[in-house]
Amino acid sequence: FECEEDDDFESELSSQHTKFDENGTGTQISINNERNRTGSGVIMSSECDEPYLSLELGFWVAQQRHYYKQLMQSNSTKGKRLTPQRIEYLDRLNFIWDIKEARWETQYQRLNEYVKRHGHANVRQNSTLGHWVYKQRYHQRNIEKGVTLDWGDIPEHATRPLSEEEIRRKPELAVDRVIDTPSGGKEYRGMPVSPLTPERKAKLNEIGFVWDARESVWDQKFRELIKYKKEFGTTKVPPSHGSLGVWVKKQREAWRALQSTDKPSGFTYALTPDRIAKLDSINFSWQGHDYTWEEHFQHLLLYIERHNTANAPQSLDTDDYPKLGSWLTIQRTEGRKFERNDAACSLSEERYALLKHAGVQFDPKLAQFLSRVEELKAYRLHHGTLKVKSTHDKSLWSWVRRMTKEYEAYLAQLNVEKSKHNLTRKKKLLLEDEIRRRMLDDIGFREEFVNK
């Protein structure tokens, strides 16, 4: 039976001198009755089933804790109201003298069980236990930033009860104390004291508590990279390989930024000397992934699957398609060499066949022309005519006008220098290429525009 309690409420009770039956035997019987009713001697407040009896008992319990705190902090006469015999009575019932410490201990035990089940203490923050773990790290960061005092920096005499002899010899020690604040915390010489005591730190360290969550995440990814290298024999993880690939890419970006004299503005990713040393110990490749032909081809197949075309733009370079555009440009160049039986071609017959089967157009300009013809066919299917209106598709309308002029120039047997249309080199291609003319003839382009 565990409820909430406010330390300020105890102080208020004491200041009001609330009086209850303080008979030692009667006290033992009252708490034992409550213990029998609730099944526990852990009574923290007056919030129980029988409001009047429990309210009175809750007030009484609060006073015992208040007296005990005074007894631990000083030699005041008020503290002596809690005699050793009464302390013994309450201890037999497992009475909780410090609620905050009891709550901390409860969460600690939960974390200990979590570590035993999962092998780590990185609890997700969107839970009660996760929030408690975050608070412990938060307290530690405040110590490191100098926002709060570490208990180790406080003189020993300020944290323990002083004897009368010590006070007689050094009266100034009586005021040089860690004191309670109205908010329930502690402070020393005007500075807040961290709730993270040496005892708490030691207990957390015993179960492998990680104080820096970001460092923990980095170490976890580093272990994944070691496992990846054992399986594949390399640290060159492609960016498309899930979160590990993204993490590896970030390490290289951070490393390049450190090597650069002109670091990018807003760059905050931390690649410490310790992390660099760890990555160097496994021969990490800082220069990035040198993709094989087969890997690039797999990226191409992924692009085709998603976009229904093999005509990837030359500038394409993303996590899913790293340097695919530039690689495809090289394959087109080599493919044209293969078609001309050029001895300088580096593309094998097998690879040429794979690219051809995937739908790669080795002439990118022809590929663009084919795309336009397909757009025009789709327009006729939807509107019943090849006469594209500029209000429907201005880009396609402009292309149809250019093709009409080029076709007229071809039929008039005009060359570029004498043509009244002043054709550019790009437009001249249509005059020389029978494949393009046939494609237009097949969809009725000549009958629709040129002969008229």
Side-chain angles (χ1 to χ4, degrees):
F1 181 80
E2 183 173 335
C3 309
E4 298 288 333
E5 179 187 19
D6 191 333
D7 290 340
D8 291 340
F9 181 59
E10 293 181 350
S11 301
E12 182 181 350
L13 281 174
S14 179
S15 64
Q16 292 177 354
H17 304 291
T18 307
K19 295 182 179 179
F20 302 102
D21 180 12
E22 296 182 0
N23 178 272
T25 305
T27 297
Q28 188 179 20
I29 293 173
S30 297
I31 297 184
N32 273 327
N33 288 341
E34 186 65 21
R35 184 184 188 185
N36 291 335
R37 191 176 68 84
T38 62
S40 172
V42 183
I43 303 172
M44 291 190 175
S45 80
S46 59
E47 194 174 316
C48 304
D49 294 336
E50 300 174 23
Y52 297 106
L53 173 62
S54 298
L55 180 64
E56 180 175 317
L57 179 60
F59 286 167
W60 181 87
V61 165
Q63 272 198 321
Q64 309 315 302
R65 291 197 179 106
H66 182 69
Y67 294 154
Y68 185 81
K69 184 183 293 185
Q70 287 183 327
L71 182 64
M72 293 297 102
Q73 291 178 346
S74 67
N75 294 323
S76 68
T77 54
K78 280 190 177 180
K80 292 181 179 177
R81 294 176 66 179
L82 193 61
T83 64
Q85 182 186 24
R86 293 178 179 179
I87 293 175
E88 184 182 353
Y89 284 148
L90 294 171
D91 283 342
R92 289 178 187 173
L93 299 171
N94 297 322
F95 188 82
I96 291 179
W97 297 104
D98 189 331
I99 293 179
K100 290 183 178 178
E101 190 63 33
R103 289 174 182 161
W104 191 94
E105 186 64 30
T106 298
Q107 294 299 329
Y108 172 77
Q109 293 301 331
R110 289 182 62 198
L111 178 62
N112 195 13
E113 290 299 319
Y114 183 93
V115 171
K116 289 177 181 178
R117 285 198 309 270
H118 300 281
H120 62 83
N122 296 321
V123 188
R124 296 182 65 178
Q125 196 174 326
N126 61 346
S127 65
T128 303
L129 182 59
H131 181 69
W132 180 84
V133 167
Y134 166 80
K135 290 292 287 184
Q136 309 314 301
R137 291 175 177 146
Y138 172 77
H139 294 324
Q140 178 61 25
R141 288 197 299 272
N142 279 345
I143 292 174
E144 294 169 355
K145 293 176 182 177
V147 177
T148 57
L149 284 175
D150 189 2
W151 284 89
D153 297 331
I154 301 173
E156 182 265 344
H157 70 262
T159 62
R160 62 171 176 80
L162 297 174
S163 67
E164 293 181 359
E165 179 62 21
E166 287 178 306
I167 296 174
R168 186 183 63 77
R169 284 190 290 105
K170 293 183 178 180
E172 65 275 12
L173 297 183
V175 294
D176 190 32
R177 310 286 297 160
V178 173
I179 61 173
D180 295 328
T181 63
S183 62
K186 295 183 182 297
E187 67 176 34
Y188 177 69
R189 295 181 181 178
M191 274 288 291
V193 180
S194 174
L196 201 57
T197 63
E199 294 76 18
R200 290 180 176 182
K201 278 188 184 181
K203 295 188 78 168
L204 289 169
N205 287 332
E206 284 177 6
I207 61 173
F209 189 80
V210 177
W211 295 101
D212 189 336
R214 289 171 295 183
E215 190 69 27
S216 173
V217 171
W218 194 95
D219 286 339
Q220 180 181 344
K221 288 300 178 186
F222 180 68
R223 289 191 295 271
E224 288 181 24
L225 179 59
I226 293 175
K227 183 178 179 181
Y228 182 91
K229 185 181 180 182
K230 287 181 179 178
E231 184 175 354
F232 298 100
T234 179
T235 60
K236 296 175 180 179
V237 186
S240 57
H241 190 81
S243 60
L244 180 61
V246 175
W247 180 83
V248 166
K249 182 181 178 183
K250 284 185 177 181
Q251 308 313 302
R252 294 194 180 105
E253 290 174 351
W255 185 80
R256 285 194 293 269
L258 288 174
Q259 307 307 308
S260 173
T261 55
D262 183 22
K263 293 181 175 58
S265 60
F267 182 80
T268 58
Y269 195 85
L271 189 62
T272 62
D274 179 59
R275 291 179 176 181
I276 292 175
K278 284 184 176 180
L279 290 169
D280 283 340
S281 69
I282 61 171
N283 297 319
F284 183 75
S285 174
W286 295 105
Q287 298 301 327
H289 191 93
D290 298 328
Y291 293 97
T292 64
W293 192 95
E294 288 74 15
E295 286 175 322
H296 278 303
F297 185 69
Q298 290 302 317
H299 296 153
L300 174 63
L301 294 181
L302 178 63
Y303 182 87
I304 294 172
E305 180 183 342
R306 292 179 177 176
H307 300 276
N308 200 31
T309 178
N311 298 319
Q314 186 174 350
S315 60
L316 183 62
D317 181 14
T318 65
D319 287 348
D320 287 341
Y321 318 112
K323 300 180 181 179
L324 180 60
S326 58
W327 176 82
L328 200 52
T329 299
I330 294 172
Q331 305 314 303
R332 287 182 178 128
T333 301
E334 295 302 314
R336 290 194 294 273
K337 289 180 182 179
F338 181 88
E339 292 172 343
R340 297 195 304 266
N341 293 320
D342 192 328
C345 176
S346 63
L347 194 66
S348 67
E349 183 177 354
E350 180 186 3
R351 289 182 175 179
Y352 175 83
L354 286 172
L355 293 168
K356 193 79 173 175
H357 184 265
V360 174
Q361 284 291 342
F362 295 101
D363 184 347
K365 294 177 181 177
L366 178 59
Q368 186 180 11
F369 184 89
L370 287 172
S371 177
R372 282 300 191 186
V373 171
E374 291 300 320
E375 288 180 36
L376 187 57
K377 289 167 65 178
Y379 184 90
R380 182 176 62 182
L381 183 65
H382 186 69
H383 297 279
T385 179
L386 294 175
K387 295 180 178 179
V388 181
K389 292 184 178 181
S390 61
T391 54
H392 290 166
D393 190 333
K394 193 170 184 178
S395 176
L396 184 60
W397 170 81
S398 178
W399 180 82
V400 168
R401 288 191 63 190
R402 290 201 308 271
M403 295 304 103
T404 302
K405 291 178 181 180
E406 290 188 20
Y407 215 126
E408 290 173 349
Y410 166 74
L411 293 176
Q413 296 295 308
L414 298 176
N415 57 37
V416 176
E417 289 78 12
K418 297 180 180 180
S419 173
K420 63 180 179 179
H421 298 288
N422 192 25
L423 300 177
T424 64
R425 176 65 184 168
K426 181 178 180 180
K427 293 178 181 177
K428 185 181 176 183
L429 291 173
L430 180 61
L431 307 180
E432 300 172 346
D433 189 2
E434 183 180 353
I435 295 176
R436 286 177 169 82
R437 294 196 305 271
R438 188 182 303 120
M439 287 180 182
L440 292 176
D441 290 344
D442 288 345
I443 63 172
F445 188 91
R446 180 174 178 176
E447 289 77 8
E448 186 72 40
F449 298 104
V450 182
N451 288 345
K452 295 182 180 180

Coordinates of all heavy atoms in Angstrom, one line a residue, residues 255-315:
W255 N 33.9 12.8 -40.5 CA 35.4 12.8 -40.7 C 35.8 13.8 -41.8 O 36.8 14.5 -41.6 CB 35.7 11.3 -41.1 CG 37.2 11.1 -41.2 CD1 38.1 10.9 -40.2 CD2 38.0 11.1 -42.4 NE1 39.4 10.8 -40.7 CE2 39.3 10.9 -42.0 CE3 37.7 11.3 -43.7 CZ2 40.4 10.8 -43.0 CZ3 38.7 11.2 -44.7 CH2 40.0 11.0 -44.3
R256 N 35.1 13.9 -42.9 CA 35.4 14.8 -43.9 C 35.3 16.2 -43.4 O 36.2 17.1 -43.8 CB 34.5 14.6 -45.2 CG 34.9 13.4 -46.0 CD 34.2 13.4 -47.3 NE 32.8 13.3 -47.2 CZ 32.1 12.1 -47.3 NH1 32.8 11.0 -47.4 NH2 30.8 12.1 -47.2
A257 N 34.3 16.5 -42.6 CA 34.2 17.8 -42.0 C 35.3 18.2 -41.1 O 35.8 19.3 -41.1 CB 32.9 17.9 -41.3
L258 N 35.8 17.2 -40.4 CA 37.0 17.4 -39.5 C 38.3 17.7 -40.3 O 39.1 18.5 -39.9 CB 37.2 16.2 -38.6 CG 36.2 16.0 -37.5 CD1 36.5 14.7 -36.7 CD2 36.3 17.2 -36.5
Q259 N 38.4 17.1 -41.5 CA 39.5 17.3 -42.3 C 39.5 18.6 -43.1 O 40.5 19.1 -43.5 CB 39.7 16.1 -43.4 CG 39.6 14.7 -42.8 CD 40.6 14.5 -41.7 OE1 41.8 14.8 -41.9 NE2 40.1 14.0 -40.6
S260 N 38.3 19.1 -43.3 CA 38.1 20.3 -44.0 C 38.5 21.6 -43.2 O 38.2 21.6 -42.0 CB 36.7 20.4 -44.5 OG 36.5 21.7 -45.1
T261 N 39.1 22.5 -43.9 CA 39.5 23.8 -43.2 C 38.2 24.7 -43.1 O 38.1 25.6 -42.3 CB 40.6 24.5 -43.9 OG1 40.2 24.7 -45.3 CG2 41.9 23.7 -43.8
D262 N 37.3 24.4 -44.1 CA 36.1 25.2 -44.1 C 34.9 24.3 -43.7 O 34.2 23.8 -44.5 CB 35.9 25.8 -45.5 CG 34.7 26.7 -45.7 OD1 34.2 27.2 -44.6 OD2 34.1 26.8 -46.8
K263 N 34.7 24.2 -42.4 CA 33.7 23.3 -41.9 C 32.3 23.9 -42.2 O 32.1 25.1 -42.1 CB 33.8 23.1 -40.4 CG 35.1 22.3 -40.0 CD 35.2 22.2 -38.5 CE 36.4 21.2 -38.2 NZ 37.6 21.8 -38.6
P264 N 31.3 23.1 -42.5 CA 30.0 23.6 -42.8 C 29.4 24.2 -41.6 O 29.6 23.8 -40.5 CB 29.2 22.3 -43.3 CG 30.0 21.2 -42.7 CD 31.4 21.6 -42.6
S265 N 28.6 25.3 -41.9 CA 28.0 26.0 -40.8 C 26.9 25.1 -40.1 O 26.2 24.4 -40.8 CB 27.3 27.3 -41.3 OG 26.4 27.0 -42.3
G266 N 26.8 25.2 -38.8 CA 25.8 24.4 -38.1 C 26.2 22.9 -37.9 O 25.4 22.1 -37.5
F267 N 27.4 22.6 -38.3 CA 27.9 21.2 -38.1 C 28.1 20.9 -36.7 O 28.8 21.5 -36.0 CB 29.1 20.9 -38.9 CG 29.6 19.5 -38.9 CD1 29.0 18.6 -39.7 CD2 30.6 19.1 -38.0 CE1 29.4 17.3 -39.7 CE2 31.0 17.8 -37.9 CZ 30.4 16.9 -38.8
T268 N 27.3 19.8 -36.2 CA 27.4 19.5 -34.8 C 27.7 18.1 -34.5 O 27.8 17.7 -33.3 CB 26.0 19.9 -34.1 OG1 25.0 19.1 -34.7 CG2 25.7 21.3 -34.2
Y269 N 27.8 17.2 -35.5 CA 28.0 15.8 -35.3 C 29.4 15.6 -34.7 O 30.4 16.0 -35.2 CB 27.8 15.0 -36.6 CG 27.7 13.5 -36.3 CD1 26.4 13.0 -36.0 CD2 28.8 12.7 -36.3 CE1 26.3 11.6 -35.8 CE2 28.7 11.4 -36.1 CZ 27.4 10.8 -35.8 OH 27.3 9.5 -35.6
A270 N 29.4 14.9 -33.5 CA 30.6 14.7 -32.8 C 31.3 13.4 -33.1 O 30.8 12.4 -32.9 CB 30.3 14.8 -31.3
L271 N 32.5 13.5 -33.7 CA 33.4 12.4 -34.0 C 34.6 12.6 -33.2 O 35.6 13.3 -33.6 CB 33.7 12.2 -35.5 CG 34.4 11.0 -35.9 CD1 33.5 9.7 -35.6 CD2 34.8 11.0 -37.4
T272 N 34.6 12.1 -32.0 CA 35.7 12.3 -31.0 C 37.0 11.5 -31.4 O 36.9 10.5 -32.2 CB 35.3 11.9 -29.6 OG1 35.0 10.5 -29.6 CG2 34.1 12.7 -29.2
P273 N 38.1 11.9 -30.9 CA 39.4 11.1 -31.1 C 39.2 9.6 -30.7 O 39.7 8.7 -31.4 CB 40.4 11.8 -30.3 CG 39.9 13.2 -30.2 CD 38.5 13.1 -30.2
D274 N 38.5 9.4 -29.6 CA 38.2 8.0 -29.2 C 37.4 7.2 -30.2 O 37.7 6.0 -30.4 CB 37.5 8.0 -27.8 CG 37.2 6.6 -27.3 OD1 38.2 5.9 -27.1 OD2 36.1 6.3 -27.0
R275 N 36.4 7.8 -30.8 CA 35.6 7.2 -31.8 C 36.4 6.9 -33.0 O 36.3 5.8 -33.7 CB 34.4 8.0 -32.1 CG 33.4 8.1 -31.0 CD 32.2 8.9 -31.3 NE 31.2 8.9 -30.3 CZ 30.0 9.6 -30.3 NH1 29.7 10.3 -31.4 NH2 29.1 9.5 -29.3
I276 N 37.2 7.9 -33.4 CA 38.1 7.7 -34.6 C 39.0 6.5 -34.4 O 39.2 5.6 -35.3 CB 38.9 8.9 -34.9 CG1 37.9 10.1 -35.4 CG2 39.9 8.7 -36.0 CD1 38.6 11.4 -35.6
A277 N 39.6 6.4 -33.2 CA 40.5 5.3 -32.9 C 39.8 4.0 -32.9 O 40.3 3.0 -33.4 CB 41.1 5.5 -31.5
K278 N 38.6 3.9 -32.4 CA 37.8 2.7 -32.5 C 37.5 2.2 -33.9 O 37.7 1.0 -34.3 CB 36.4 2.8 -31.7 CG 36.6 2.8 -30.2 CD 35.2 2.9 -29.6 CE 35.3 2.8 -28.1 NZ 33.9 2.9 -27.4
L279 N 37.2 3.2 -34.8 CA 36.9 2.9 -36.2 C 38.2 2.5 -36.9 O 38.2 1.5 -37.7 CB 36.2 4.1 -36.9 CG 34.8 4.4 -36.4 CD1 34.3 5.7 -36.9 CD2 33.8 3.3 -36.9
D280 N 39.3 3.2 -36.6 CA 40.6 2.8 -37.2 C 41.0 1.4 -36.8 O 41.6 0.7 -37.6 CB 41.6 3.8 -36.8 CG 41.5 5.1 -37.6 OD1 40.9 5.1 -38.6 OD2 42.1 6.1 -37.1
S281 N 40.6 1.0 -35.6 CA 41.0 -0.4 -35.1 C 40.4 -1.5 -35.9 O 40.9 -2.6 -35.9 CB 40.6 -0.5 -33.6 OG 39.2 -0.6 -33.5
I282 N 39.3 -1.2 -36.7 CA 38.7 -2.3 -37.5 C 38.9 -1.9 -39.0 O 38.2 -2.4 -39.9 CB 37.2 -2.4 -37.2 CG1 36.4 -1.1 -37.5 CG2 37.0 -2.9 -35.8 CD1 34.9 -1.3 -37.4
N283 N 39.9 -1.0 -39.3 CA 40.2 -0.6 -40.7 C 39.0 -0.1 -41.4 O 38.7 -0.4 -42.5 CB 40.8 -1.8 -41.4 CG 42.1 -2.3 -40.9 OD1 43.0 -1.5 -40.5 ND2 42.3 -3.7 -40.8
F284 N 38.4 0.9 -40.7 CA 37.2 1.5 -41.3 C 37.6 2.3 -42.5 O 38.6 3.0 -42.6 CB 36.6 2.5 -40.3 CG 35.3 3.2 -40.7 CD1 34.1 2.5 -40.8 CD2 35.3 4.5 -41.1 CE1 33.0 3.1 -41.2 CE2 34.2 5.1 -41.5 CZ 33.0 4.4 -41.6
S285 N 36.8 2.2 -43.6 CA 37.0 2.9 -44.8 C 36.4 4.3 -44.8 O 35.2 4.5 -44.9 CB 36.4 2.1 -46.0 OG 36.6 2.9 -47.2
W286 N 37.3 5.3 -44.6 CA 36.8 6.7 -44.5 C 36.4 7.3 -45.8 O 35.7 8.3 -45.8 CB 37.9 7.5 -43.8 CG 38.2 7.2 -42.4 CD1 39.3 6.5 -42.0 CD2 37.4 7.4 -41.3 NE1 39.3 6.3 -40.6 CE2 38.1 6.9 -40.1 CE3 36.2 8.1 -41.0 CZ2 37.6 6.9 -38.9 CZ3 35.7 8.1 -39.8 CH2 36.4 7.6 -38.7
Q287 N 36.9 6.7 -46.9 CA 36.7 7.4 -48.2 C 35.3 7.0 -48.8 O 35.0 7.5 -49.9 CB 37.8 7.0 -49.2 CG 39.2 7.4 -48.7 CD 39.2 8.9 -48.6 OE1 38.6 9.7 -49.3 NE2 40.0 9.4 -47.6
G288 N 34.6 6.1 -48.2 CA 33.3 5.8 -48.7 C 33.2 4.5 -49.4 O 34.2 3.7 -49.5
H289 N 32.1 4.2 -50.0 CA 31.8 2.9 -50.6 C 32.2 2.9 -52.1 O 31.7 3.7 -52.9 CB 30.4 2.5 -50.5 CG 30.1 1.1 -50.8 ND1 30.0 0.1 -49.8 CD2 29.8 0.5 -52.0 CE1 29.7 -1.0 -50.4 NE2 29.6 -0.8 -51.7
D290 N 33.1 2.0 -52.5 CA 33.4 1.8 -53.9 C 32.5 0.7 -54.4 O 32.8 -0.5 -54.2 CB 34.9 1.4 -54.0 CG 35.8 2.5 -53.6 OD1 35.4 3.6 -53.7 OD2 36.9 2.1 -53.0
Y291 N 31.4 1.1 -55.0 CA 30.4 0.1 -55.4 C 30.9 -0.7 -56.6 O 31.5 -0.2 -57.5 CB 29.1 0.8 -55.7 CG 28.4 1.5 -54.6 CD1 28.6 2.8 -54.3 CD2 27.6 0.7 -53.7 CE1 28.0 3.4 -53.2 CE2 27.0 1.3 -52.6 CZ 27.2 2.7 -52.4 OH 26.7 3.2 -51.3
T292 N 30.5 -2.0 -56.6 CA 30.8 -2.9 -57.7 C 29.8 -2.6 -58.8 O 28.7 -2.0 -58.6 CB 30.8 -4.3 -57.2 OG1 29.4 -4.7 -56.8 CG2 31.7 -4.6 -56.1
W293 N 30.1 -3.2 -60.0 CA 29.1 -3.0 -61.1 C 27.8 -3.7 -60.7 O 26.7 -3.1 -61.0 CB 29.7 -3.7 -62.3 CG 29.0 -3.4 -63.6 CD1 29.3 -2.4 -64.5 CD2 27.8 -4.0 -64.1 NE1 28.3 -2.4 -65.5 CE2 27.4 -3.4 -65.3 CE3 27.0 -5.1 -63.7 CZ2 26.3 -3.8 -66.1 CZ3 25.9 -5.5 -64.4 CH2 25.6 -4.9 -65.6
E294 N 27.9 -4.8 -60.1 CA 26.7 -5.6 -59.7 C 25.8 -4.8 -58.7 O 24.6 -4.8 -58.8 CB 27.0 -6.9 -59.1 CG 27.5 -7.9 -60.1 CD 28.9 -7.7 -60.6 OE1 29.6 -6.8 -60.0 OE2 29.3 -8.2 -61.7
E295 N 26.5 -4.1 -57.8 CA 25.7 -3.3 -56.8 C 25.0 -2.1 -57.5 O 23.8 -1.8 -57.2 CB 26.7 -2.8 -55.7 CG 27.1 -3.9 -54.7 CD 28.2 -3.4 -53.7 OE1 29.0 -2.6 -54.2 OE2 28.1 -3.8 -52.6
H296 N 25.7 -1.5 -58.4 CA 25.1 -0.4 -59.1 C 23.9 -0.9 -59.9 O 22.8 -0.2 -60.0 CB 26.1 0.3 -60.1 CG 26.9 1.3 -59.4 ND1 26.4 2.4 -58.8 CD2 28.3 1.4 -59.3 CE1 27.4 3.2 -58.3 NE2 28.5 2.6 -58.6
F297 N 24.0 -2.1 -60.5 CA 23.0 -2.7 -61.3 C 21.7 -3.0 -60.5 O 20.6 -2.8 -60.9 CB 23.4 -3.9 -62.0 CG 22.4 -4.5 -63.0 CD1 22.1 -3.9 -64.2 CD2 21.8 -5.7 -62.7 CE1 21.2 -4.4 -65.0 CE2 20.8 -6.2 -63.6 CZ 20.5 -5.6 -64.7
Q298 N 22.0 -3.4 -59.2 CA 20.9 -3.7 -58.3 C 20.2 -2.3 -57.9 O 18.9 -2.3 -57.8 CB 21.4 -4.3 -57.0 CG 21.8 -5.8 -57.2 CD 20.7 -6.7 -57.8 OE1 19.5 -6.6 -57.3 NE2 21.0 -7.5 -58.7
H299 N 20.9 -1.3 -57.8 CA 20.3 0.0 -57.6 C 19.5 0.5 -58.8 O 18.4 1.1 -58.6 CB 21.4 1.1 -57.3 CG 22.2 0.8 -56.1 ND1 23.5 1.3 -55.9 CD2 21.9 0.2 -54.9 CE1 24.0 0.9 -54.7 NE2 23.0 0.2 -54.1
L300 N 19.9 0.1 -60.0 CA 19.2 0.5 -61.2 C 17.9 -0.3 -61.2 O 16.8 0.2 -61.5 CB 20.0 0.1 -62.4 CG 19.3 0.3 -63.8 CD1 18.9 1.7 -64.0 CD2 20.2 -0.2 -64.9
L301 N 17.9 -1.6 -60.9 CA 16.7 -2.4 -60.8 C 15.7 -1.9 -59.8 O 14.5 -1.9 -60.1 CB 17.0 -3.9 -60.5 CG 17.8 -4.6 -61.6 CD1 18.1 -6.1 -61.1 CD2 17.2 -4.6 -62.9
L302 N 16.2 -1.4 -58.7 CA 15.3 -0.8 -57.7 C 14.7 0.5 -58.2 O 13.5 0.7 -58.0 CB 16.1 -0.5 -56.4 CG 15.4 0.2 -55.3 CD1 14.2 -0.7 -54.8 CD2 16.3 0.6 -54.1
Y303 N 15.4 1.3 -59.0 CA 14.9 2.5 -59.6 C 13.8 2.2 -60.6 O 12.8 2.8 -60.6 CB 16.0 3.3 -60.2 CG 15.6 4.6 -60.8 CD1 15.6 5.8 -60.1 CD2 15.2 4.7 -62.2 CE1 15.1 7.0 -60.6 CE2 14.8 5.9 -62.7 CZ 14.8 7.0 -62.0 OH 14.3 8.2 -62.5
I304 N 14.1 1.1 -61.4 CA 13.1 0.7 -62.4 C 11.8 0.3 -61.8 O 10.7 0.6 -62.2 CB 13.7 -0.4 -63.3 CG1 14.9 0.2 -64.1 CG2 12.6 -1.0 -64.2 CD1 15.6 -0.9 -64.9
E305 N 12.0 -0.5 -60.7 CA 10.8 -1.0 -60.0 C 9.9 0.1 -59.4 O 8.7 0.0 -59.5 CB 11.2 -1.9 -58.8 CG 10.1 -2.5 -58.0 CD 10.6 -3.3 -56.8 OE1 11.8 -3.7 -56.8 OE2 9.8 -3.6 -55.9
R306 N 10.6 1.2 -59.0 CA 9.8 2.3 -58.3 C 9.3 3.3 -59.4 O 8.3 4.0 -59.1 CB 10.7 3.0 -57.3 CG 11.0 2.1 -56.1 CD 11.9 2.9 -55.1 NE 12.2 2.1 -53.9 CZ 13.0 2.5 -52.9 NH1 13.6 3.7 -53.0 NH2 13.2 1.8 -51.9
H307 N 10.1 3.5 -60.5 CA 9.7 4.6 -61.4 C 9.3 4.1 -62.8 O 9.0 4.9 -63.7 CB 10.9 5.5 -61.6 CG 11.4 6.2 -60.3 ND1 10.8 7.3 -59.8 CD2 12.3 5.8 -59.4 CE1 11.3 7.6 -58.6 NE2 12.3 6.7 -58.3
N308 N 9.3 2.8 -63.0 CA 8.9 2.2 -64.2 C 9.6 2.7 -65.5 O 9.1 2.8 -66.6 CB 7.4 2.4 -64.4 CG 6.7 1.5 -65.4 OD1 7.2 0.3 -65.5 ND2 5.7 1.9 -66.2
T309 N 10.9 3.0 -65.3 CA 11.7 3.5 -66.4 C 13.2 3.3 -66.0 O 13.5 3.4 -64.8 CB 11.5 4.9 -66.8 OG1 12.4 5.3 -67.8 CG2 11.7 5.9 -65.6
A310 N 14.1 3.1 -67.0 CA 15.5 3.0 -66.7 C 16.2 4.3 -67.0 O 17.4 4.3 -66.9 CB 16.1 1.8 -67.5
N311 N 15.5 5.3 -67.4 CA 16.1 6.6 -67.8 C 16.3 7.4 -66.6 O 15.6 8.5 -66.4 CB 15.2 7.3 -68.9 CG 15.1 6.4 -70.1 OD1 16.1 5.8 -70.6 ND2 13.9 6.4 -70.7
A312 N 17.2 7.0 -65.7 CA 17.5 7.8 -64.5 C 18.3 9.1 -64.9 O 19.1 9.0 -65.8 CB 18.3 7.0 -63.5
P313 N 17.9 10.2 -64.3 CA 18.7 11.4 -64.6 C 20.2 11.3 -64.3 O 20.5 10.6 -63.3 CB 18.0 12.5 -63.8 CG 17.2 11.8 -62.8 CD 16.9 10.4 -63.3
Q314 N 21.0 12.1 -65.0 CA 22.4 12.0 -64.8 C 22.9 12.4 -63.5 O 23.9 12.0 -62.9 CB 23.1 12.8 -65.9 CG 24.7 12.6 -65.9 CD 25.3 13.3 -67.1 OE1 24.6 13.8 -68.0 NE2 26.6 13.4 -67.1
S315 N 22.1 13.3 -62.9 CA 22.5 13.9 -61.6 C 22.1 13.1 -60.4 O 22.3 13.4 -59.2 CB 22.0 15.3 -61.4 OG 20.5 15.3 -61.5

